[in-house]
Amino acid sequence: MEMIQLLQGALIGSIGGTLAGLLGVGGGFIMVPLLVMIMGLGQQMAQGISLLVIVPTSIVAIWRLHTSSLIDWSMVMVMAVGSILGAAISSNFVQYIDSKLLTKIFGFCVILVGLKMYFDARKNEQKNSAEK
């Protein structure tokens, strides 16, 4: 691996880790596009790297959130069952999906979730200001 790739990877990891700790996300929503756009990786490779990077990132964030009593462990267990099942099924066929199509699907999902969050926040903001 060349020095420029090491620096790019460290920068992408730092951005993903910062957002993971700040926003409670795995960082994949930013790491995957950056790995594809900046480093030129295929979508499947970028997703694989992002998923593996989530492990140490999550351990650090989980510890900090746990010490602040910000984790509902019963909800974690329920969600983990579905998450493990979904990952086990989808990881068996992701390599058969065209990388460009997978990138479009990923981008569409990010936009859809972003729009939903934006409009929900705006709605709550308007509701709060009307209550004052």
Side-chain angles (χ1 to χ4, degrees):
M1 185 175 289
E2 294 181 27
M3 181 59 78
I4 189 73
Q5 292 172 313
L6 290 172
L7 293 172
Q8 289 172 333
L11 179 63
I12 292 169
S14 296
I15 293 168
T18 300
L19 292 174
L22 185 64
L23 303 176
V25 297
F29 81 98
I30 192 71
M31 278 193 242
V32 171
L34 291 177
L35 287 167
V36 171
M37 293 184 303
I38 293 174
M39 297 190 73
L41 299 179
Q43 183 73 22
Q44 290 93 334
M45 179 68 75
Q47 288 178 197
I49 290 169
S50 175
L51 285 170
L52 192 53
V53 169
I54 288 170
V55 175
T57 305
S58 294
I59 290 170
V60 171
I62 289 165
W63 176 253
R64 297 295 301 148
L65 293 169
H66 171 71
T67 59
S68 298
S69 300
L70 295 173
I71 297 178
D72 178 347
W73 289 103
S74 59
M75 180 59 73
V76 169
M77 295 305 153
V78 170
M79 290 179 69
V81 171
S83 182
I84 290 167
L85 182 62
I89 293 169
S90 64
S91 63
N92 283 315
F93 64 85
V94 70
Q95 66 271 19
Y96 301 114
I97 300 173
D98 178 67
S99 187
K100 290 185 186 331
L101 175 61
L102 199 55
T103 301
K104 290 176 185 175
I105 293 169
F106 183 89
F108 177 76
C109 289
V110 169
I111 290 169
L112 191 63
V113 169
L115 286 172
K116 171 78 170 115
M117 291 178 73
Y118 173 80
F119 287 112
D120 284 353
R122 191 168 174 196
K123 183 176 163 184
N124 288 335
E125 188 177 82
Q126 290 171 348
K127 180 182 168 188
N128 291 339
S129 65
E131 290 175 356
K132 291 181 180 183

